[in-house]
Amino acid sequence: MKRLFLLFFLLCSMTVSTTFAQEKKAFTLEDVIPGGNNYFNLVPKNIPGLKWWGDVCVRADVDDIRQIDNRTGEETILVTLKEVNEALQNGEKPYKLLAPIKPLHTLQGASLPWENRNLLMFSDYVGDEEKSESYVFFYDFIQKKLTNMFRIQEANATNLDFCKENGYLAYTAGDHLYIANHGDFSTAVSPHPTGVKEIDNDIVYGQAVHRNEFGIMKGTFWSPKGTYLAFYRMDQSMVTDYPQVNTSTRIATLEPDKYPMAGMTSHKVTVGVYDVKTGKIIYLQAGDPTDRYFTNVSWSPDEQHIYVIELNRDQNHAQLVCYQVATGEKEEVLYEEKNPKYVEPQHPLVFLPWDESKFIYQSQRDGFNHLYLMDTKAKGEGTWKNGKLEGSTYLEHLKVTPLTQGDWLVQDILGFNAGKKEIIIGSTEISPLQTNLFSLNVKTGKRTLLGEKDGMHRASLSESGTYLIDNFSSFHVGREITLLPTNGKKGTTLLKADDPMASQFKLPEITIGTFKAADGKTDLYYRLIKPVDFDPNKKYPAIIYVYGGPHAQLIHNTRFYDARGWDLYMAQKGYVMLTVDSRGSDNRGLAFENCTFRHLGVEEMKDQVKGAEFLKSLSYVDGERIGVHGWSFGGFMTTNLMLTYPDIFKVGVAGGPVIDWKFYEVMYGERYMDTPETNPEGYKGSDLKQKAGNLKGRLEIIIGGTDPTCVPQHSYSFLRACIEAGTHPDFFVYPEDGHNMMGRDRVHLHEHITRYFEDHLK
């Protein structure tokens, strides 16, 4: 009997031990915040380095590059890191290098520019802080040798733009633009900084302009055959220097930014065209560039014309203008669009590969971003017409055919399947919470869904447009990567990955739904996260995580419905977490966004208050303990909600907030608010310094010490207003950080935010 009892006891002990071993544990900020020690171990598995080599899918990994069969997924090694390093270390070089090249550690950054050539392209850096050079190498993986190199002697070279049609490389160093051609030295396109009157930082060549608004992400534009390079020249000598201060030096150093604030003098932009063969530059004769924006530079396929979408400073009148490349002369205005609030072109023209006389133009003139086919050989009616959106008008000097229509928007053109005369697009047609892929027949307008109907799809298109690399996730799918044919048929799955957090940790319940906006008619999407180990009989504190501004959407059909790691962490700590995509946010059409025009914060706050009312209607939420947190525009919203609705919101943490829109930059600020001179009441109503005396709860402001986006003056001026009003916000600075905290600073930031809510809301 004694032995039987001992055996029973041992079996029970084993069962209990096994049960405890299988119990899911709690997670930490190190697990869920980018920069945390365990963060990358807990995101769904990915396949890094997937890219196209013409129509061949390749995987550029650390140790090798592999070809993947589009139909079977079978992999074949093309080249190894060992082979490349052997050529770099021991192979023949075109010229003597400044210093020995260190072995590469990975091939993930390599590309294969030419579909019919066995060449890898990759870059490296040699030297030290005093003297350094950069190199771009070409390696033939059949002959196993270096075939060519670019030598870049200028320090801090960036904005590399390689043209595979001519083999030239454009890049910038400092404020100047250079071109290299398979050789030892580069040609300066802009006037060389030595011996000229142009002062560094006053005249900038080859970089993005207009503070990266209007979809501008670069400053150089190769012509289709590589004969010319178009580039931006930005004169910002007249722009005020904002005095950023670097406090990491022995004596703090002044490092000013050129920052044109709303209503103040902005920079002047011109577009130059560099002839690669002759070295001559012609500037487009666009007239006086004062108070004008030059966006979405595009080339005609025959390289004879350049197209620019130009806006006035009010940003309510856009013109598509055609220029002659040979002379720079303005040829004609092809299309015009007006809106009483704003017009916001964000996409360059895309010509049809099978018909060089026609191009795709994207516009929100009917309320949603759609595609329009424009014919350069057919005249339009040339009279102003009314768009479907109230107040919107347009003028067509050439024939225009709508290709897509409806209460949804085209988000991206991935490219063309020229053989079938189709455009491959990403859109919100299925849901504003998703991006789905479609092929669009240009002649019939028929759209065919590509891939799964569920979730968010990020994809890249092969050279011929017959295959996609589709990287997709949803609330129920951690990640799925498929080589997807664009004929609508099923593809080859390369990866199906579960969410590793689901198997290891206790996760909160996450749901999405809708309720009516403050206007009583518009549906708003919300995401609700209940506390881990939720007890419906308890009363929990709640936090609204908010953004609310243009070009951002916080809820998608992705992992956790886009909830951030911090939201999950706070749910684990016993908070109900709510996010609402209020009016003013992205992917719901222009009327949904621009209802906030000239009065930023007003309508958005009303919708967030509806969110607070929704929380109070839940039996398990303590309506006396509601907090709010957001960053950037969300920091503006957080501060505004704390000051405008002090009886609703008890605790707030505002990161990098806009306090006074007069202190924000010209392009973004004036688009949504007009100028302080033309909209004094709107600026006054959105100036949070005016409300500093309303603060009742606990509010902490957090900023980066050299924030170039929402400059520190916003928060400093608010602190002064609070001092004069007798209120007491808290304040925390991350020295030398910009608009966001990265790496370990980001983990510290969320520890700090958490402590604030734990101390004052819980």
Side-chain angles (χ1 to χ4, degrees):
M1 178 68 72
K2 186 175 181 181
R3 288 179 62 190
L4 186 61
F5 175 77
L6 288 172
L7 181 61
F8 175 77
F9 177 78
L10 288 171
L11 287 171
C12 288
S13 299
M14 290 172 64
T15 303
V16 170
S17 299
T18 303
T19 301
F20 281 133
Q22 292 176 345
E23 276 192 2
K24 294 182 178 180
K25 56 186 178 180
F27 46 86
T28 69
L29 288 174
E30 298 287 351
D31 297 318
V32 297
I33 298 297
N37 292 330
N38 201 35
Y39 175 78
F40 286 107
N41 295 323
L42 293 172
V43 295
K45 185 179 178 182
N46 200 356
I47 304 178
L50 283 180
K51 57 192 71 178
W52 289 109
W53 175 29
D55 280 338
V56 177
C57 179
V58 297
R59 177 164 67 90
D61 213 333
V62 175
D63 295 321
D64 55 41
I65 297 178
R66 301 183 178 218
Q67 175 179 330
I68 301 176
D69 188 283
N70 290 352
R71 291 185 171 85
T72 67
E74 188 174 322
E75 297 186 357
T76 305
I77 293 178
L78 290 175
V79 59
T80 67
L81 178 64
K82 182 179 179 181
E83 293 169 339
V84 174
N85 277 329
E86 174 65 25
L88 283 175
Q89 299 299 306
N90 304 317
E92 184 179 349
K93 313 294 191 303
Y95 40 79
K96 185 179 179 181
L97 304 182
L98 173 72
I101 298 175
K102 296 178 181 179
L104 296 179
H105 297 294
T106 178
L107 289 178
Q108 287 184 331
S111 62
L112 295 92
W114 296 280
E115 63 174 321
N116 56 353
R117 299 174 66 182
N118 302 309
L119 290 179
L120 291 183
M121 176 180 172
F122 51 92
S123 59
D124 198 15
Y125 159 91
V126 297
D128 52 35
E129 292 183 0
E130 293 185 1
K131 191 173 183 181
S132 64
E133 292 181 336
S134 298
Y135 296 91
V136 177
F137 301 93
F138 296 88
Y139 174 77
D140 188 316
F141 54 84
I142 298 298
Q143 299 185 37
K144 299 186 184 305
K145 67 176 185 179
L146 297 176
T147 64
N148 226 316
M149 301 170 63
F150 290 118
R151 182 180 185 180
I152 304 172
Q153 295 179 296
E154 292 76 22
N156 303 318
T158 188
N159 298 311
L160 273 63
D161 188 358
F162 176 67
C163 178
K164 66 179 183 179
E165 283 74 20
N166 64 15
Y168 283 63
L169 177 72
Y171 64 93
T172 63
D175 298 323
H176 295 272
L177 175 62
Y178 300 86
I179 289 181
N181 175 29
H182 299 308
D184 206 352
F185 300 102
S186 305
T187 300
V189 175
S190 57
H192 197 272
T194 302
V196 297
K197 294 182 179 180
E198 293 182 351
I199 301 172
D200 280 356
N201 204 39
D202 276 352
I203 311 294
V204 180
Y205 293 86
Q207 298 185 33
V209 298
H210 304 322
R211 296 189 65 83
N212 296 93
E213 296 293 333
F214 316 107
I216 299 171
M217 301 304 293
K218 56 182 298 200
T220 54
F221 311 90
W222 285 108
S223 63
K225 301 172 186 176
T227 308
Y228 305 99
L229 178 71
F231 61 91
Y232 280 128
R233 177 187 183 274
M234 176 171 61
D235 181 354
Q236 51 182 5
S237 59
M238 68 292 295
V239 176
T240 302
D241 288 329
Y242 186 86
Q244 297 283 15
V245 177
N246 178 358
T247 59
S248 67
T249 55
R250 176 64 179 85
I251 296 178
T253 307
L254 187 65
E255 296 180 356
D257 287 335
K258 291 290 186 179
Y259 195 95
M261 291 185 178
M264 298 179 70
T265 303
S266 186
H267 55 239
K268 299 179 182 181
V269 169
T270 49
V271 177
V273 180
Y274 177 82
D275 188 316
V276 173
K277 290 183 179 179
T278 66
K280 293 182 178 179
I281 297 175
I282 292 177
Y283 283 93
L284 303 188
Q285 298 176 24
D288 185 356
T290 303
D291 292 338
R292 295 169 67 195
Y293 300 120
F294 298 87
T295 77
N296 300 285
V297 176
S298 312
W299 282 93
S300 64
D302 63 5
E303 301 184 315
Q304 300 304 303
H305 298 93
I306 283 184
Y307 303 90
V308 182
I309 304 177
E310 302 175 9
L311 278 88
N312 58 339
R313 180 156 176 170
D314 283 342
Q315 301 183 49
N316 56 15
H317 184 191
Q319 293 183 316
L320 173 60
V321 184
C322 176
Y323 292 90
Q324 293 180 7
V325 172
T327 63
E329 292 180 357
K330 181 176 179 178
E331 190 167 282
E332 59 182 326
V333 177
L334 301 177
Y335 176 78
E336 298 184 65
E337 191 172 325
K338 293 182 180 179
N339 186 287
K341 295 181 178 179
Y342 52 83
V343 180
E344 189 181 4
Q346 298 189 75
H347 306 278
L349 312 185
V350 183
F351 278 82
L352 300 183
W354 59 87
D355 187 346
E356 295 185 350
S357 67
K358 297 183 177 66
F359 60 82
I360 307 296
Y361 187 94
Q362 299 191 47
S363 171
Q364 297 186 87
R365 74 186 197 187
D366 286 339
F368 294 84
N369 190 64
H370 281 295
L371 307 184
Y372 297 85
L373 183 65
M374 298 193 174
D375 189 340
T376 60
K377 292 185 176 180
K379 293 293 184 181
E381 296 182 13
T383 57
W384 285 95
K385 297 180 181 179
N386 294 323
K388 293 180 182 177
L389 190 68
E390 184 178 355
S392 176
T393 58
Y394 57 90
L395 175 62
E396 300 169 347
H397 295 288
L398 71 177
K399 183 181 178 182
V400 178
T401 305
L403 293 180
T404 59
Q405 294 175 301
D407 292 348
W408 51 273
L409 54 98
V410 175
Q411 296 169 301
D412 192 17
I413 295 177
L414 281 74
F416 297 92
N417 182 339
K420 299 182 70 174
K421 297 184 178 180
E422 292 177 340
I423 312 170
I424 311 302
I425 64 172
S427 81
T428 65
E429 184 172 358
I430 290 176
S431 168
L433 304 185
Q434 298 190 170
T435 297
N436 289 95
L437 308 173
F438 293 86
S439 62
L440 168 65
N441 187 287
V442 172
K443 185 175 181 179
T444 66
K446 179 183 177 182
R447 294 181 298 279
T448 302
L449 177 67
L450 306 177
E452 296 292 333
K453 188 176 182 179
D454 186 34
M456 292 286 291
H457 295 256
R458 293 183 295 107
S460 62
L461 190 65
S462 70
E463 187 82 14
S464 69
T466 54
Y467 270 91
L468 288 159
I469 300 171
D470 176 23
N471 193 325
F472 127 78
S473 67
S474 73
F475 183 71
H476 300 289
V477 177
R479 189 188 310 277
E480 189 168 315
I481 300 177
T482 304
L483 290 179
L484 194 64
T486 56
N487 59 10
K489 294 183 179 180
K490 189 175 181 180
T492 302
T493 300
L494 302 182
L495 172 71
K496 282 188 176 182
D498 295 327
D499 190 338
M501 285 194 67
S503 61
Q504 298 184 44
F505 303 107
K506 283 185 178 181
L507 294 176
E509 177 187 337
I510 307 174
T511 56
I512 58 173
T514 62
F515 54 69
K516 294 297 181 186
D519 65 3
K521 58 184 180 181
T522 305
D523 284 332
L524 302 178
Y525 287 96
Y526 71 82
R527 178 184 63 237
L528 182 70
I529 308 176
K530 293 180 180 178
V532 174
D533 295 326
F534 173 69
D535 182 349
N537 297 312
K538 285 186 177 181
K539 287 282 190 179
Y540 295 98
I543 299 172
I544 294 178
Y545 176 66
V546 62
Y547 185 81
H551 297 302
Q553 181 181 357
L554 299 184
I555 305 166
H556 293 93
N557 181 14
T558 60
R559 183 193 192 209
F560 307 134
Y561 290 126
D562 263 8
R564 305 170 312 138
W566 183 78
D567 298 287
L568 306 181
Y569 183 71
M570 295 305 283
Q572 182 179 257
K573 283 191 162 293
Y575 294 83
V576 174
M577 303 297 294
L578 178 71
T579 288
V580 181
D581 277 325
S582 56
R583 288 172 297 153
S585 58
D586 204 15
N587 285 322
R588 297 289 302 277
L590 191 55
F592 185 90
E593 179 188 274
N594 71 17
C595 68
T596 67
F597 181 64
R598 299 187 107 224
H599 297 280
L600 286 178
V602 176
E603 299 303 317
E604 304 97 312
M605 282 198 299
K606 292 177 184 177
D607 288 349
Q608 296 300 326
V609 168
K610 287 294 180 182
E613 292 172 356
F614 169 70
L615 285 172
K616 289 184 177 183
S617 73
L618 302 175
S619 61
Y620 50 84
V621 170
D622 183 348
E624 299 300 315
R625 290 187 294 161
I626 296 179
V628 58
H629 167 51
W631 203 271
S632 193
F633 197 101
F636 162 69
M637 289 287 291
T638 295
T639 308
N640 211 354
L641 287 164
M642 289 290 296
L643 302 176
T644 308
Y645 300 95
D647 295 327
I648 296 177
F649 298 96
K650 182 179 179 181
V651 179
V653 177
V658 175
I659 295 296
D660 185 342
W661 287 99
K662 293 194 301 294
F663 299 158
Y664 204 71
E665 52 98 342
V666 166
M667 298 82 191
Y668 183 103
E670 293 183 4
R671 180 185 311 133
Y672 304 115
M673 288 288 288
D674 281 340
T675 66
E677 292 74 23
T678 59
N679 183 22
E681 289 303 311
Y683 274 85
K684 182 179 179 181
S686 297
D687 179 359
L688 306 190
K689 301 190 302 296
Q690 306 293 323
K691 305 178 183 181
N694 296 348
L695 182 61
K696 291 183 179 180
R698 296 299 298 258
L699 170 65
E700 180 167 46
I701 305 289
I702 304 176
I703 67 168
T706 55
D707 189 339
T709 304
C710 296
V711 293
Q713 183 175 352
H714 285 279
S715 295
Y716 295 159
S717 66
F718 181 68
L719 294 178
R720 168 49 59 190
C722 289
I723 293 167
E724 294 176 356
T727 53
H728 298 272
D730 297 308
F731 187 58
F732 194 89
V733 179
Y734 283 86
E736 316 319 321
D737 277 358
H739 192 50
N740 289 291
M741 285 75 247
M742 308 302 289
R744 296 302 302 171
D745 284 13
R746 195 165 186 83
V747 179
H748 184 278
L749 167 68
H750 287 91
E751 288 173 345
H752 191 80
I753 296 169
T754 301
R755 288 174 57 155
Y756 199 79
F757 283 110
E758 288 281 271
D759 288 345
H760 302 298
L761 188 63
K762 202 166 188 180

